[in-house]
Amino acid sequence: MEEARLNILVVDDEPDICATLAEILEDEGYNVQTAGSAEAAEVLLRDQMVDLVLLDIWMPGEDGVSLLRRWAEAGLEQPVVMMSGHATIETAVQATKLGAYDFIEKPLSLDKTLLTVTHALESSRLQRENRDLRAQAGWVERPSGESPAIRQFREQLQRVAAVDSWALLLGEPGSGKEVAARYLHRQSRRAQGPFVDLRAAAIARPNVAIELFGNEDHGKLTRGRLEVAHGGTLFIDEIADMDLETQARLFSALQERRIIRVGGTTPVPVDVRVIAGSAQDLALAVQSGQFRSDLYYRLSALPLKVPPLSARSADIPALIEEFVRFYGARDGLAARHFAPETLDVLHHYPWPGNVRELQNLVERLLILAEGPEVSAEEVEGALGLDNRLVLVNSNFDGEDFGGTLKRARERFERAFLEYHLARNDWNIARTAEVVGLERTHLYRKLKNLSIALKGERHAGEDGDEGEG
């Protein structure tokens, strides 16, 4: 795919200036539209996306400053560069206060005009990225970790990023579909374009069409996500929550590369790559009549399965480090160390909420800090795990319940480990596998509980007998 060309609108009542600017800017790789009046400019802005406006101040009918004021009141986001050969300093200041990016004097200098256009477009891109970053605080740059599952998934994303086809991300809630979509966008040729997301499940069904396609109502124009994403990527999360009519309209719009706003009649060209996300089985949704087959088959040409956290628990330490750094930078929360025993608890937890649940847990543990180290007990409490011992048919008596909970736990752990060590002939590797601990963690646990290994026990017993 060729990189999307940026669109510039030149508004000037002098045809020679419009023609000259159009020729110069098109030579630089821009798409250029021209308008000779405020009225013509309004029509062009309504019917297509524009990345920058070059606006003359003095025009017959409505002048440029008045037009800019109306645009500012309507919330126009595109940068506007004013042009004039007769403007005063007061006029330039007024235009700047209304939001104009810059002011250039006629006769126009070719170098200054091109430089101003470049700076205005770059400034607009950076502002858009900053808004996006603030809106999406908490997301990470890529699916993190080095487990085989996530490494394979990243490689798949990189291959899919090289083409411009639609893509479908399938995965459990909280598994990281949006992170994957952003990573795919940044690896693609559309990386310099906008990334726009639409959470279909969070929008009332009657409003999804307006959010997607925009709206024209009594002269008031609202641009939809497809227009805003022009030249970039639109991520539609939980696409199956769209009604069938909106699905049909989306499929048609993307096939024809143009949309018609709700309440409008004029087609608007759009160039957007769609990445859809779903936690549902879309094939079953097609069979039940809840999802359109044409849209499904188009999306499923490139289906990607986002691995759940339970399938890549080896990535938990890396994810924790990432979240600790993030909350330290964003909220000033002090870092905490996760002990090996704590990581063991996290490793064996099923994670029904996936990466999102882990992130929320880390945030909670940092906010409600009980010391520089996160203990296994603290994590178990935060996760709501039931740590009560099953005492039916056990040999514990009343005396075993004396002392603190910590001592009771140590007594149980000692008995538990000695039991499994004996059953496995004191083989550390087999015992570690049975009890779900890494070998080094098991050695550390045995040392902390003063449990001697088989060889050490025999040596101690022999020494005692000699001394006796």
Side-chain angles (χ1 to χ4, degrees):
M1 178 201 115
E2 293 184 4
E3 188 170 327
R5 289 156 62 99
L6 297 176
N7 298 318
I8 297 178
L9 173 61
V10 178
V11 186
D12 198 303
D13 63 308
E14 298 182 53
D16 290 345
I17 290 180
C18 287
T20 300
L21 282 173
E23 181 179 359
I24 292 170
L25 293 170
E26 285 173 350
D27 285 344
E28 294 295 317
Y30 301 109
N31 289 325
V32 181
Q33 297 284 341
T34 61
S37 66
E39 183 180 1
E42 293 272 71
V43 172
L44 283 169
L45 270 178
R46 185 187 68 235
D47 293 344
Q48 58 187 275
M49 283 297 293
V50 171
D51 299 290
L52 171 69
V53 180
L54 295 175
L55 176 61
D56 187 29
I57 288 183
W58 302 113
M59 296 185 296
E62 186 175 14
D63 62 66
V65 173
S66 175
L67 180 59
L68 177 62
R69 179 179 290 106
R70 287 201 297 108
W71 283 348
E73 291 172 353
L76 182 72
E77 294 186 354
Q78 292 90 336
V80 178
V81 175
M82 307 300 290
M83 307 180 295
S84 179
H86 309 287
T88 63
I89 294 177
E90 288 78 14
T91 304
V93 170
Q94 184 183 10
T96 302
K97 288 182 177 179
L98 290 172
Y101 174 80
D102 204 348
F103 178 90
I104 51 179
E105 293 182 292
K106 296 180 180 177
L108 300 175
S109 161
L110 172 60
D111 290 339
K112 178 174 174 54
T113 300
L114 290 178
L115 187 63
T116 302
V117 165
T118 300
H119 287 171
L121 289 169
E122 178 66 11
S123 174
S124 176
R125 183 183 68 82
L126 292 174
Q127 288 178 7
R128 184 180 66 237
E129 289 182 355
N130 286 335
R131 285 195 303 270
D132 188 47
L133 285 171
R134 288 193 297 270
Q136 300 296 335
W139 62 265
V140 293
E141 292 187 355
R142 66 172 195 161
S144 302
E146 294 301 326
S147 66
I150 206 65
R151 289 175 64 180
Q152 181 183 23
F153 180 58
R154 278 201 304 266
E155 291 170 1
Q156 291 175 342
L157 289 174
Q158 290 165 2
R159 289 196 293 270
V160 171
V163 299
D164 201 45
S165 303
W166 301 2
L168 176 61
L169 295 170
L170 298 168
E172 298 173 6
S175 58
K177 293 187 289 293
E178 183 181 349
V179 171
R182 288 181 178 277
Y183 180 69
L184 202 161
H185 169 71
R186 285 193 297 275
Q187 297 297 312
S188 75
R189 298 174 189 174
R190 294 179 176 267
Q192 297 303 312
F195 178 92
V196 178
D197 68 328
L198 173 69
R199 303 174 189 275
I203 302 171
R205 287 202 168 192
N207 298 329
V208 172
I210 292 176
E211 289 289 339
L212 264 180
F213 305 105
N215 187 42
E216 293 183 29
D217 183 21
H218 297 94
K220 183 179 180 182
L221 170 65
T222 303
R223 300 190 189 279
R225 307 293 176 92
L226 280 163
E227 272 190 87
V228 176
H230 179 76
T233 301
L234 174 65
F235 173 57
I236 306 176
D237 195 18
E238 297 306 335
I239 192 170
D241 284 341
M242 286 184 178
D243 60 80
L244 292 173
E245 181 181 351
T246 304
Q247 292 175 29
R249 190 169 183 171
L250 172 65
F251 180 78
S252 175
L254 294 171
Q255 287 284 86
E256 299 175 7
R257 299 170 70 88
R258 62 180 186 173
I259 64 169
I260 296 179
R261 303 186 190 99
V262 176
T265 57
T266 305
V268 179
V270 292
D271 174 22
V272 176
R273 181 186 193 175
V274 168
I275 302 173
S278 180
Q280 300 183 39
D281 187 331
L282 294 186
L284 291 178
V286 170
Q287 292 177 13
S288 64
Q290 297 177 328
F291 199 79
R292 289 185 61 93
S293 59
D294 51 5
L295 183 57
Y296 168 70
Y297 291 126
R298 180 66 189 271
L299 288 170
S300 61
L302 286 175
L304 296 169
K305 177 66 175 176
V306 185
L309 184 56
S310 59
R312 58 186 190 100
S313 57
D315 296 327
I316 289 176
L319 290 167
I320 289 174
E321 289 182 11
E322 194 168 65
F323 297 144
V324 168
R325 284 197 303 269
F326 169 74
Y327 289 115
R330 193 191 74 172
D331 301 327
L333 297 177
R336 302 184 69 195
H337 173 67
F338 284 67
E341 296 81 2
T342 306
L343 293 176
D344 283 331
V345 173
L346 298 175
H347 181 82
H348 291 95
Y349 182 68
W351 296 110
N354 286 290
V355 178
R356 185 185 300 133
E357 184 181 8
L358 176 61
Q359 181 174 359
N360 292 340
L361 172 68
V362 172
E363 181 183 19
R364 185 160 67 251
L365 291 171
L366 295 181
I367 293 174
L368 303 176
E370 298 179 5
E373 183 168 279
V374 180
S375 67
E377 292 87 351
E378 188 178 355
V379 164
E380 289 169 345
L383 291 174
L385 299 177
D386 189 351
N387 293 316
R388 291 173 296 176
L389 301 178
V390 179
L391 300 176
V392 178
N393 298 323
S394 72
N395 294 321
F396 289 102
D397 56 32
E399 294 182 359
D400 290 308
F401 296 102
T404 65
L405 177 62
K406 181 179 179 182
R407 290 195 60 191
R409 176 173 177 156
E410 288 176 352
R411 286 196 295 270
F412 173 78
E413 288 183 342
R414 184 179 294 107
F416 175 81
L417 292 176
E418 287 180 339
Y419 168 80
H420 283 288
L421 283 165
R423 283 182 60 89
N424 289 281
D425 196 28
W426 293 82
N427 183 293
I428 294 296
R430 286 203 302 269
T431 303
E433 183 178 356
V434 169
V435 302
L437 287 175
E438 293 183 9
R439 189 184 305 187
T440 55
H441 295 168
L442 178 56
Y443 274 119
R444 186 180 297 110
K445 178 68 73 174
L446 296 176
K447 182 179 179 181
N448 291 340
L449 294 172
S450 301
I451 299 176
L453 299 181
K454 188 175 183 181
E456 296 171 342
R457 288 191 165 210
H458 289 323
E461 292 168 2
D462 293 341
D464 290 341
E465 290 173 357
E467 291 174 1

